[in-house]
Amino acid sequence: MRIAMISMHTSPLQQPGSGDAGGMNVYVLATARELARRGVEVDVFTRATRPSQGHVVDVEPGLRVINVVAGPYEGLSKEELPTQLAAFAGGVLQFVRCEQIRYNLIHSHYWLSGQVGWLLRDLWHVPLVHTAHTLAAVKNSHRTPTDTQESDARRICEQQLVDNADVLVVNTPEETNDLVRHYDAEPEKVAVIAPGADVELFTPGQQRNTEQARRNLGIPMHTKVVAFVGRLQEFKGPQVLLRAVAELLRRDPARDMRVIMCGGPSGAQATVEHYTELARSLGICHRVRFLDPRPPEELVAIFQAADVVAVPSYNESFGLVAIEAQACGTPVIAARVGGLPMAVLDGETGLLVHDHEPETWADAIAELLDDDPTRIAMGVAAREHAAHFTWAQAAEKLESVYVEALEFELNVCHDRKPEGA
């Protein structure tokens, strides 16, 4: 089986937590790797953003990333990428002609890629599997007061993909409900496949791992640590955590705690300076340390160093950070939105918070930081819970979806044959 994966707006090789790179990048790379290890040949097509990338990157046997030139390498925002859909599709077609490749199926990620996949599906006469990752209607219903509303154009493009894709892959049953409620999707076209985590990489480690991680970060062992890992943008809620910590310290100025904010700015208005200034204005800048995005191999140390990981997003299709943190044996405090109630078991592996008010979040953080036995027990349960989510399992289910889509397409083509053919 040979699959064309399309991830136009962000490369799976880009560092998560920077720019537009996030959980989707992790998802695409991890599932593509596991599919390749199962014998599926996977080519991931993405837009080239610098000339030094190389046209074709061999990631590992059976997996390549194809960097397609479509528009300038730099200076093109995600909002401007629709102007390059035709150029990108043309680049994919040119590569296929030159390589004389035939793909059995297309799997597109995000609505921009879906539009390209829809065109290629009809040219190549193969099934189209689409994963939205985020939806305009859902983001608009959960956006913060300062967030820019997603455009009607995106909403229309997503509706076209819901209507025309052969299979819609989602992370949780909640996403199925979103597709049915907002886009009138046919439930039988939707396949629910939970993402995973690299549970061999993300592990609790030994006590010395935590000590080393804290020593490297300059944090004493006795200090309580709350970590935020993700893109620095309003929708991910870093401001919620900072205000909650300010509230905690207002209640108890002597509280010994630190906050780690690991991630880069995302979006035209977002800057690290904005959040450092917020911490300064709240009087907690001496308690907060901002770290650049880092690869998974280094991210493990952040999770191991933390007593609690906070995920205060306004919506998450699943919440990979929550699973990765729990795989390291660290409880998670998360917003009760999207797929996070599936990723975090409330009261067992962490806590779910019903709003984004600083006082409510301060209560939840204090509840875990001040109760060592409960927090430690949650950490053990968190590791066991995360073990149920692996990329190998996700890839196995994805391959089954591909096979079913191909069999259905074969049967449809057979039914279309004229009598006697």
Side-chain angles (χ1 to χ4, degrees):
M1 188 188 300
R2 188 187 288 270
I3 304 300
M5 276 196 186
I6 305 177
S7 178
M8 177 187 171
H9 83 284
T10 180
S11 169
L13 302 181
Q14 188 177 348
Q15 172 63 57
S18 61
D20 293 318
M24 192 189 101
N25 300 69
V26 177
Y27 181 103
V28 173
L29 182 60
T31 54
R33 273 182 164 151
E34 291 296 337
L35 285 166
R37 292 165 187 172
R38 295 179 62 82
V40 179
E41 294 187 66
V42 184
D43 285 342
V44 183
F45 292 90
T46 190
R47 195 180 78 86
T49 55
R50 60 180 186 274
S52 60
Q53 288 171 312
H55 186 37
V56 179
V57 179
D58 292 303
V59 180
E60 60 181 67
L63 172 59
R64 303 186 297 179
V65 172
I66 318 299
N67 293 296
V68 178
V69 176
Y73 290 116
E74 298 177 351
L76 202 64
S77 69
K78 187 166 68 172
E79 291 72 27
E80 296 172 303
L81 286 181
T83 64
Q84 300 303 315
L85 288 174
F88 184 83
V92 175
L93 290 170
Q94 183 182 45
F95 177 83
V96 170
R97 281 196 303 270
C98 292
E99 296 284 317
Q100 297 184 329
I101 297 174
R102 187 184 186 282
Y103 294 104
N104 302 107
L105 179 143
I106 300 165
H107 189 168
S108 56
H109 295 271
Y110 196 64
W111 70 275
L112 290 166
S113 301
Q115 289 289 307
V116 175
W118 180 21
L119 169 65
L120 298 178
R121 187 275 304 271
D122 290 340
L123 290 175
W124 294 343
H125 305 289
V126 298
L128 171 63
V129 176
H130 179 66
T131 303
H133 293 279
T134 62
L135 295 164
V138 176
K139 288 194 74 173
N140 284 340
S141 63
H142 291 282
R143 68 189 180 96
T144 68
T146 58
D147 273 336
T148 302
Q149 182 157 321
E150 296 294 331
S151 68
D152 288 339
R154 173 181 172 177
R155 174 72 171 75
I156 292 168
C157 288
E158 289 175 342
Q159 185 66 62
Q160 291 168 337
L161 293 170
V162 169
D163 295 340
N164 288 281
D166 297 284
V167 182
L168 300 166
V169 173
V170 299
N171 295 326
T172 64
E174 176 66 21
E175 277 193 277
T176 302
N177 296 334
D178 289 335
L179 284 170
V180 172
R181 180 167 59 250
H182 295 292
Y183 295 85
D184 296 320
E186 301 171 14
E188 58 271 20
K189 281 179 55 173
V190 183
V192 180
I193 301 176
D198 186 342
V199 293
E200 294 182 3
L201 173 64
F202 292 99
T203 62
Q206 304 298 321
Q207 178 68 19
R208 62 178 178 271
N209 295 96
T210 299
E211 292 175 357
Q212 184 64 47
R214 289 201 169 195
R215 189 155 48 244
N216 292 341
L217 292 168
I219 298 174
M221 281 300 297
H222 58 79
T223 299
K224 296 295 173 63
V225 178
V226 180
F228 170 94
V229 175
R231 287 173 286 168
L232 296 179
Q233 60 177 196
E234 294 286 300
F235 197 73
K236 293 293 183 180
Q239 72 283 358
V240 175
L241 175 59
L242 293 175
R243 292 187 175 113
V245 170
E247 171 62 19
L248 270 180
L249 294 173
R250 184 193 65 78
R251 298 174 186 176
D252 180 9
R255 178 182 286 274
D256 188 6
M257 69 176 296
R258 296 291 186 277
V259 179
I260 299 173
M261 307 289 287
C262 181
S266 177
Q269 307 302 320
T271 62
V272 175
E273 290 72 25
H274 169 77
Y275 292 100
T276 55
E277 179 55 37
L278 175 60
R280 188 176 296 108
S281 67
L282 292 169
I284 61 170
C285 61
H286 60 297
R287 308 282 192 129
V288 183
R289 183 168 181 187
F290 289 87
L291 302 177
D292 291 334
R294 49 199 59 205
E297 295 77 14
E298 297 178 27
L299 202 56
V300 174
I302 302 297
F303 293 136
Q304 291 175 343
D307 292 288
V308 170
V309 169
V311 185
S313 303
Y314 281 80
N315 195 60
E316 289 284 352
S317 60
F318 184 68
L320 291 180
V321 166
I323 290 295
E324 291 171 349
Q326 290 174 98
C328 291
T330 306
V332 173
I333 301 177
R336 192 187 291 273
V337 296
L340 286 170
M342 180 177 173
V344 180
L345 300 181
D346 190 24
E348 296 180 41
T349 68
L351 298 175
L352 295 175
V353 184
H354 67 273
D355 61 30
H356 292 84
E357 296 300 319
E359 294 78 12
T360 315
W361 275 82
D363 292 341
I365 294 170
E367 182 178 340
L368 286 194
L369 293 188
D370 296 343
D371 189 343
D372 292 343
T374 296
R375 190 182 66 257
I376 293 169
M378 281 186 173
V380 174
R383 171 62 181 166
E384 295 173 354
H385 175 58
H388 293 98
F389 300 91
T390 69
W391 290 119
Q393 291 172 338
E396 181 181 1
K397 292 176 182 177
L398 265 181
E399 187 179 8
S400 296
V401 167
Y402 295 165
V403 170
E404 289 179 14
L406 286 167
E407 289 176 348
F408 180 79
E409 181 75 10
L410 186 64
N411 291 334
V412 168
C413 290
H414 181 271
D415 292 343
R416 287 173 182 163
K417 283 185 178 180
E419 193 172 334

